[in-house]
Amino acid sequence: TSTEDASGGVLWLEQRGEDLGARLDGVVGCAAARGFGPLLLVGADSPTLPPSFLASALEGLAGGRADVALGPTADGGYYAVGVRGPASGLFDSVEWSTPRAYAQTARNAARLKLRLLELPPWYDVDTPEDLARLRAELDADADARRRAPSTCAWLRAHFEHE
């Protein structure tokens, strides 16, 4: 996990915690304690994610219209989570890597009386079918290729003969 510091450098933070929820809580708390916010955590498995989705999250959080932003994925998880600051309990009892992760996190936000901004749905790459979808998107969409040039090059190099 990394975040830029005030001088424009990168500050690396070690992830700590038993599960993804504890690690997310930890990095949010550490970054917020260092004066960062709002915070946006993005999965690395959505390489063609449109930047406008992330901009919407940051605008909603920074503008005070939402306390939490979640980007749902087709498999029931999410590609990004944004928070205005620490949100103790947001990731409690979430069944990670299941079709219930998004709904459970959204329920936690409601229980904590946090205003939720739902971002447009997207997909992440977890299965061979997801990888096929990514390859098809990159083959058909020049904008996607511009958003994920390294991913595109790697896929072409490794799947060129199929």
Side-chain angles (χ1 to χ4, degrees):
T1 304
S2 70
T3 183
E4 283 193 31
D5 67 16
S7 66
V10 175
L11 173 66
W12 291 94
L13 304 172
E14 182 179 345
Q15 292 185 17
R16 296 173 190 212
E18 298 267 332
D19 67 4
L20 180 58
R23 291 189 297 272
L24 290 171
D25 265 337
V27 75
V28 166
C30 186
R34 295 173 192 263
F36 295 99
L39 303 167
L40 185 58
L41 299 98
V42 182
D45 54 356
S46 296
T48 61
L49 181 66
S52 62
F53 292 11
L54 303 179
S56 294
L58 289 173
E59 288 167 9
L61 295 166
R65 294 185 305 280
D67 302 305
V68 175
L70 286 174
T73 55
D75 63 5
Y78 42 95
Y79 59 81
V81 58
V83 292
R84 289 176 50 87
S88 182
L90 182 62
F91 305 114
D92 288 356
S93 301
V94 172
E95 297 171 64
W96 300 105
S97 300
T98 73
R100 296 173 292 284
Y102 179 93
Q104 291 169 339
T105 306
R107 234 184 339 269
N108 285 342
R111 178 180 52 80
L112 296 167
K113 299 190 181 352
L114 299 172
R115 295 164 298 150
L116 176 65
L117 170 62
E118 183 173 309
L119 302 173
W122 200 248
Y123 70 101
D124 56 1
V125 180
D126 296 324
T127 66
E129 294 79 17
D130 297 333
L131 183 61
R133 177 180 178 178
L134 174 63
R135 289 177 61 198
E137 179 188 10
L138 290 168
D139 286 343
D141 186 340
D143 285 336
R145 288 191 297 276
R146 279 191 286 281
R147 289 192 303 270
S150 296
T151 300
C152 186
W154 189 91
L155 287 171
R156 284 189 175 153
H158 289 82
F159 293 97
E160 189 173 322
H161 302 292
E162 284 187 29

